[in-house]
Amino acid sequence: NFFSGAKRVEPRQGFGRVARYAWGKDYHDIVKKRLDEWVLHLPEIVGKPVQTKILVDSGPLLERAFAHQGGLGFVGKNTLIISRKLGSFIFLSEVLTDLELDPDLLIEDEKKDACGSCRECLADCPTGALVAPRELDARKCISFWTIENKGGIPEEMRPGIGDWIFGCDICQDVCPYNGLSKQTLWKEFLPESGAGPHLSLLEVPEALERQHHQCYLCLPEADHQL
């Protein structure tokens, strides 16, 4: 759970908005460190050597499908895993192991749509990326254009993207299930531990320039095309 307790963040003059999951420290590092520590105790717990592989959004594993099958939540109309206890502001991570484990039983009633008649996420997506319930067109998604995309953003996409500079929270902010969200106990994910909800539009180019310069310093023999 990475919910910091803050409600929807409003635009701020001269700043770009950041998706909630990136407000604190890098979750890849924080969650993996915890899992590394936990895995060390497994041989002692089970009484024999154990082979493991840790994944924190870092491998070709269908995390959402496994989370659903494991009973962690249901897939909402916004395509995200939604926990009935915590909403959707949650990270997924895995420990693959050679241990033989009994599977959990699914408790969801697959005949009923847990989202009911709600269509808030579809209606509020400014770029129309949610083309149908549980169907996302990544070519229209703000998170794709502000994180995964390596080039310029097409002019026709810019009005919908607005002031989002890294990711997007709209389809989660409007979800009624996120009224269940509780403040995280992981201090590393609180805004004061990282960038917070806004980035200065004046500072971002300077940060990118520093990152580019460090690339040359650390990898002098590498291909530096960015």
Side-chain angles (χ1 to χ4, degrees), residues 138-200:
R139 297 169 298 180
K140 298 180 180 180
C141 182
I142 294 175
S143 287
F144 165 76
W145 286 112
T146 58
I147 298 177
E148 303 299 334
N149 170 50
K150 304 304 180 185
I153 297 176
E155 289 189 15
E156 63 271 19
M157 295 298 303
R158 296 176 189 177
I161 292 175
D163 66 332
W164 288 101
I165 197 171
F166 191 86
C168 175
D169 278 335
I170 294 174
C171 67
Q172 298 190 81
D173 282 336
V174 301
C175 177
Y177 277 102
N178 280 326
L180 304 173
S181 299
K182 300 176 179 62
Q183 181 165 329
T184 181
L185 299 177
W186 295 51
K187 63 181 182 179
E188 298 95 333
F189 298 145
L190 296 176
E192 54 267 30
S193 296
H198 294 97
L199 284 178
S200 169

Side-chain angles (χ1 to χ4, degrees), residues 60-124:
L61 187 73
L62 299 177
E63 296 176 313
R64 179 179 58 184
F66 280 106
H68 177 232
Q69 292 179 12
L72 296 182
F74 64 90
V75 180
K77 290 181 180 178
N78 60 5
T79 75
L80 300 173
I81 283 290
I82 300 177
S83 164
R84 292 183 181 273
K85 295 181 179 180
L86 294 171
S88 64
F89 292 118
I90 51 178
F91 292 129
L92 299 177
S93 58
E94 302 78 37
V95 174
L96 306 183
T97 175
D98 60 346
L99 289 173
E100 294 186 11
L101 304 172
D102 294 328
D104 293 331
L105 297 176
L106 275 176
I107 58 175
E108 300 290 343
D109 185 350
E110 298 293 346
K111 296 181 181 180
K112 296 181 179 180
D113 188 339
C115 292
S117 61
C118 179
R119 295 177 62 88
E120 292 292 326
C121 55
L122 283 82
D124 282 49

